[in-house]
Amino acid sequence: MSIEIVEVSPRDGLQNEKTVLSTADKVELVERAVRSGAKRVEVTSFVNPSRVPQMADADELMAAVPRYDGVRYAGLVMNGRGLDRALKGEVDEVNVVVVATDTFCGRNQGVTTKEACETASSLVAAAREAGKFTTVTIGAAFGCPFEGEVSLDRLGEVLRQVHAAGADEVALADTIGVAVPTDITAKLALAHEIIGDDAVLRLHLHDTRNTAVANAVAAVQSGVFVLDSSIGGAGGCPFAPAATGNVATEDLAYLFARMGQETGIDLEETVAAAVWLEEKLGKKLPSALARAGNFPS
Amino acid sequence: MSIEIVEVSPRDGLQNEKTVLSTADKVELVERAVRSGAKRVEVTSFVNPSRVPQMADADELMAAVPRYDGVRYAGLVMNGRGLDRALKGEVDEVNVVVVATDTFCGRNQGVTTKEACETASSLVAAAREAGKFTTVTIGAAFGCPFEGEVSLDRLGEVLRQVHAAGADEVALADTIGVAVPTDITAKLALAHEIIGDDAVLRLHLHDTRNTAVANAVAAVQSGVFVLDSSIGGAGGCPFAPAATGNVATEDLAYLFARMGQETGIDLEETVAAAVWLEEKLGKKLPSALARAGNFPS
């Protein structure tokens, strides 16, 4: 089974960066992601620009990105206004976010988890009506910076509500990077149990505590083959300011290539994109492969 | 089965550092390692000071480190002169190194792999005669910076020679950090096949390409429970100057604690030691846990 990488650097990779990239640079980032082999790119989020200044050009960006056969662009939304913008921007995929704990969900989108799930339900219905592929991402599925552990019981409750929303895909996000492989195995098993074959499962990993690559291996061993990653490992965690970000696309590309698992990602192109992105952001990114190079070189 | 961490920061963690620590600082590093829970510490290597200036004080250091019940100190040796110094220094363990490829072995110790194995044989015999616990470490077991891939056939040859040396423990080292979990599984299975129950197996991991934590998980799944690690992830790789070093002790401590596997390592003490070591070396170390903190905090 080949692995499907969802490139999230233009969205999650950038959203916490203080350096705001120009729309032209974001277009180049998307183009570089596509050139590196990504077939799905999360291009932007349609959220309140006053809360996420980096995403203020979401509409312009979606209008500007060139389209390629076989490449799908996703936009993240949290409410009806965001969905309207995403549909107007002709995204191919709509990614709706809910957060597994009430405290974090409140801080992220001003509602409880249950309310976010109800909103997700109507957003998914409307997006599907518009012919879009839909994902619901459950943020903080492995742990919350405010409430701590997220139990299997709690995640099960959320998964049942998300399942009822009827999306094509359900993603579990380790938003603050706390999971270890046993967490991945247990929570993906729970998700499989609740979702069955009604939706594809996808995993969003952060490398905050150096466990993301091990977690990616555990995901594949659990039969989950859709993984988010970010060129260069861009994407900080606002709750661990000094920590590393999303797992780096090139680190997963190296891992899986050497494990004999197809990702379709070209390592050299991705490393080149990471180096380019470091220049644009004016800082080193956590990517290991950009530091160390391929082997054998 | 609990996991045994061999703390290698005083030796592999420091040996490539340009900043030479004082003997007093190295004593403190060893003390901090012990306080963090390490029962085995690789304190130094008895090698030519003109080639490894950081290790020039090996004799003084071994004389200065306080001894604790239940804690064993190891010294690395490559030849008879090194062994004499190690025995004079009253090490508890002698770690003899051979390198899996002739080119790297030549650069490291001026002999072929076969010659190094013959030397290892006599060093192990002499060290055992002196009542010491003995390890033979096979460097570059997963890949060589000069020769590239190290095949199962090649490693098998080396393992058979090392097996004949009769050490208490055999370590496979991913010296340049290229292995992925499938490599770990395959090469540890080979080692089990050749070594059987005649020696304990140990694994030495570098996080050069962000795979070390996944490899540690694979090791435990393969029934190997003795792992080298380094406070802060100290320890560069001379063949990938910008890359990260040994896998960080605190990163493994977090991983295994959360996976329900006992290591005996105290995370907070180890992070404190990493922060102290960063100050002494005047640079950030790659440790993820020192950046991000424990979870739940």
Side-chain angles (χ1 to χ4, degrees):
Chain A
M1 190 88 177
S2 67
I3 289 155
E4 185 173 58
I5 294 292
V6 182
E7 177 58 49
V8 300
S9 55
R11 201 275 305 168
D12 202 21
L14 296 182
Q15 73 178 16
N16 293 306
E17 288 296 333
K18 286 199 188 92
T19 304
V20 175
L21 293 199
S22 70
T23 305
D25 282 341
K26 291 176 187 172
V27 169
E28 179 163 355
L29 179 57
V30 171
E31 289 176 314
R32 282 177 174 272
V34 172
R35 208 184 311 148
S36 79
K39 299 293 181 206
R40 298 174 68 185
V41 182
E42 197 156 279
V43 172
T44 189
S45 64
F46 296 92
V47 290
N48 186 337
S50 71
R51 297 204 50 194
V52 190
Q54 183 73 263
M55 298 291 127
D57 64 349
D59 309 283
E60 297 88 316
L61 177 57
M62 274 311 302
V65 281
R67 307 291 177 133
Y68 304 90
D69 278 350
V71 175
R72 282 147 55 188
Y73 291 148
L76 186 149
V77 308
M78 296 197 295
N79 52 38
R81 180 160 158 66
L83 179 63
D84 290 345
R85 292 170 63 199
L87 295 179
K88 195 173 280 176
E90 295 186 355
V91 300
D92 305 294
E93 305 187 6
V94 173
N95 185 8
V96 184
V97 171
V98 304
V99 185
T101 63
D102 287 324
T103 312
F104 197 172
C105 203
R107 302 246 193 152
N108 198 55
Q109 53 214 84
V111 293
T112 65
T113 304
K114 187 163 179 294
E115 288 164 346
C117 287
E118 287 160 5
T119 302
S121 222
S122 58
L123 294 175
V124 164
R128 286 175 63 98
E129 177 96 15
K132 303 302 180 186
F133 181 92
T134 54
T135 303
V136 177
T137 295
I138 304 176
F142 297 90
C144 169
F146 309 110
E147 299 190 21
E149 299 289 356
V150 172
S151 68
L152 285 170
D153 280 354
R154 172 69 184 183
L155 183 62
E157 264 175 52
V158 180
L159 273 164
R160 274 182 285 274
Q161 294 169 69
V162 165
H163 181 217
D168 300 294
E169 184 178 70
V170 172
L172 299 189
D174 187 15
T175 309
I176 59 167
V178 300
V180 298
T182 43
D183 298 323
I184 299 295
T185 306
K187 289 188 168 171
L188 289 181
L190 176 73
H192 271 128
E193 192 186 308
I194 292 170
I195 308 284
D197 293 330
D198 298 338
V200 173
L201 286 180
R202 165 177 164 188
L203 190 63
H204 176 94
L205 295 168
H206 280 247
D207 204 18
T208 317
R209 287 169 183 84
N210 201 7
T211 57
V213 168
N215 291 342
V217 173
V220 169
Q221 285 168 348
S222 296
V224 168
F225 298 96
V226 187
L227 299 171
D228 288 5
S229 62
S230 174
I231 287 168
C237 172
F239 308 102
T244 47
N246 291 271
V247 65
T249 304
E250 56 274 29
D251 293 1
L252 290 189
Y254 176 81
L255 171 82
F256 287 123
R258 205 165 165 81
M259 291 183 77
Q261 300 255 11
E262 186 58 48
T263 63
I265 300 295
D266 183 282
L267 183 58
E268 303 308 325
E269 285 283 359
T270 314
V271 166
V275 171
W276 173 87
L277 185 55
E278 287 183 327
E279 279 165 23
K280 290 295 169 185
L281 291 174
K283 68 176 206 184
K284 284 280 172 200
L285 292 171
S287 162
L289 267 292
R291 302 282 84 66
N294 200 2
F295 176 84
S297 55
Chain B
M1 191 89 177
S2 67
I3 289 155
E4 185 173 57
I5 294 292
V6 182
E7 177 58 48
V8 300
S9 55
R11 201 275 304 167
D12 202 21
L14 296 182
Q15 74 178 16
N16 293 306
E17 287 296 333
K18 285 199 187 92
T19 305
V20 175
L21 293 201
S22 70
T23 305
D25 282 341
K26 290 177 187 172
V27 169
E28 179 163 354
L29 179 57
V30 171
E31 289 176 315
R32 284 178 172 271
V34 173
R35 206 183 313 148
S36 78
K39 299 293 179 205
R40 298 175 68 186
V41 182
E42 196 156 279
V43 172
T44 189
S45 64
F46 296 92
V47 290
N48 187 339
S50 70
R51 297 203 49 194
V52 190
Q54 183 73 261
M55 298 292 126
D57 65 350
D59 309 282
E60 296 89 315
L61 178 58
M62 272 312 300
V65 281
R67 306 291 176 133
Y68 305 90
D69 279 350
V71 174
R72 283 148 54 188
Y73 292 147
L76 185 149
V77 308
M78 296 196 298
N79 53 35
R81 181 161 158 65
L83 179 63
D84 290 344
R85 292 170 64 199
L87 295 178
K88 195 172 279 177
E90 297 187 353
V91 299
D92 304 295
E93 305 186 5
V94 172
N95 185 8
V96 184
V97 171
V98 304
V99 185
T101 63
D102 287 323
T103 312
F104 198 171
C105 202
R107 302 247 192 151
N108 197 54
Q109 53 215 82
V111 294
T112 64
T113 304
K114 187 163 180 294
E115 289 163 346
C117 288
E118 287 160 6
T119 302
S121 221
S122 58
L123 294 174
V124 165
R128 285 175 64 98
E129 178 96 13
K132 304 302 180 187
F133 181 92
T134 54
T135 304
V136 177
T137 295
I138 303 175
F142 297 90
C144 168
F146 310 109
E147 299 190 21
E149 300 290 355
V150 172
S151 68
L152 285 170
D153 281 353
R154 172 69 184 184
L155 183 63
E157 264 176 53
V158 180
L159 273 164
R160 274 182 285 274
Q161 294 170 70
V162 165
H163 181 218
D168 301 294
E169 186 178 70
V170 173
L172 299 189
D174 187 16
T175 309
I176 58 167
V178 300
V180 299
T182 44
D183 298 322
I184 300 295
T185 306
K187 289 189 168 170
L188 290 180
L190 177 72
H192 271 128
E193 192 186 308
I194 292 170
I195 308 284
D197 294 329
D198 298 337
V200 173
L201 286 180
R202 167 178 164 188
L203 190 63
H204 177 94
L205 295 168
H206 281 246
D207 205 18
T208 318
R209 288 170 184 82
N210 201 7
T211 57
V213 169
N215 291 343
V217 173
V220 170
Q221 286 168 348
S222 296
V224 169
F225 298 96
V226 187
L227 298 172
D228 289 5
S229 63
S230 172
I231 287 169
C237 172
F239 308 103
T244 48
N246 291 271
V247 64
T249 304
E250 56 274 29
D251 292 1
L252 290 189
Y254 176 81
L255 171 82
F256 287 123
R258 206 166 164 81
M259 290 183 78
Q261 300 255 13
E262 187 58 48
T263 62
I265 302 296
D266 183 282
L267 183 58
E268 303 308 324
E269 285 282 359
T270 314
V271 166
V275 171
W276 172 87
L277 185 56
E278 287 182 328
E279 279 164 21
K280 290 294 169 187
L281 292 174
K283 66 177 208 183
K284 284 281 172 200
L285 291 171
S287 162
L289 267 292
R291 301 283 85 66
N294 200 1
F295 176 83
S297 57

